[in-house]
Amino acid sequence: MNERLFKQKMEERKQKIIDAAKALFSEKGYAGTGLREIAERAGVSLGNIYNYFKNKEEIFSEIFNPEAIGATLINSFGSIQGDFPFNMSDIILMIKKAVDSNIDLYRLYYIDIIEFGAKNTNRLIGYFITLSKSVFREQLDREVKKGNLRDLDYDLLAKQFIISMITFFSSIHEIPAMKVEEYSDEELSRIMGEVLLRGITK
């Protein structure tokens, strides 16, 4: 087997371990998942896991990677930054779609808070705040100078927005009382966007 093919096989095996662990952590939690179980789900030997990871926590940290999670949103954010913040409903819709299509990944947010004291979530939120500043901050400053927006602490609001959106949309999958099946994704995003931009007063 040549070197390129060998490296490809190694990467494929590592990805199988990551995918198996992600699914098991999402289903059973971190404490409830064993390395042997991950190996069985991935179709590799237990010893094979140690070729890639020192322990189970290292696997969790690799999966709960801010850049990997941020990648589910960054392209969407970049494509709509020109109309920000007046296209808030579009941004909310994109966040919902990102959470829906990566729910196993976003479930780990709750596991991390409970089982790791939010160590990895802290990294994630820090990453999203840095990302939102790099994508949207100049646009916000321009709109404030034009008089189209109030001069507020938008760093604080970015933290609130990121946490509330991720929590709300991931909770829809976990908590029956949170379900909003009477609305399409577009309707839900439009309502939430209007409230964020205009409030609830007439």
Side-chain angles (χ1 to χ4, degrees), residues 35-196:
L35 278 174
R36 189 173 299 280
E37 201 173 6
I38 293 170
E40 287 173 3
R41 177 77 68 98
V44 302
S45 69
L46 181 59
N48 222 311
I49 286 183
Y50 292 107
N51 291 330
Y52 302 93
F53 302 100
K54 289 187 293 187
N55 50 41
K56 187 171 67 166
E57 185 172 348
E58 190 170 271
I59 300 174
F60 187 87
S61 293
E62 170 107 1
I63 295 167
F64 202 88
N65 181 309
E67 288 79 9
I69 299 175
T72 66
L73 293 173
I74 191 167
N75 291 335
S76 299
F77 280 0
S79 69
I80 59 175
Q81 70 185 101
D83 295 326
F84 182 80
F86 307 106
N87 59 349
M88 190 60 72
S89 60
D90 295 334
I91 293 169
I92 293 170
L93 179 61
M94 288 180 178
I95 293 172
K96 184 176 190 308
K97 287 181 175 178
V99 172
D100 287 349
S101 59
N102 297 279
I103 190 58
D104 281 354
L105 198 57
Y106 282 90
R107 277 191 185 113
L108 301 185
Y109 159 74
Y110 297 101
I111 292 167
D112 181 62
I113 290 170
I114 294 166
E115 301 195 43
F116 288 95
K119 178 176 77 174
N120 297 291
T121 300
N122 187 56
R123 289 168 49 224
L124 175 64
I125 298 306
Y127 177 82
F128 274 140
I129 290 165
T130 302
L131 172 62
S132 64
K133 282 182 183 179
S134 68
V135 175
F136 298 125
R137 191 56 203 245
E138 286 184 14
Q139 183 73 8
L140 280 170
D141 289 342
R142 278 196 294 271
E143 295 300 331
V144 168
K145 285 176 184 173
K146 289 179 189 175
N148 294 329
L149 294 176
R150 294 164 61 196
D151 190 5
L152 300 170
D153 183 350
Y154 286 103
D155 290 343
L156 170 64
L157 295 176
K159 293 176 186 178
Q160 178 200 11
F161 176 75
I162 290 164
I163 286 286
S164 62
M165 291 298 111
I166 291 174
T167 302
F168 180 69
F169 289 131
S170 55
S171 294
I172 288 172
H173 291 267
E174 310 302 325
I175 305 169
M178 292 290 290
K179 293 193 181 300
V180 283
E181 293 167 345
E182 65 270 31
Y183 297 108
S184 68
D185 287 354
E186 290 74 16
E187 289 169 333
L188 182 62
S189 302
R190 179 182 54 76
I191 292 166
M192 294 174 74
E194 286 180 1
V195 170
L196 277 171

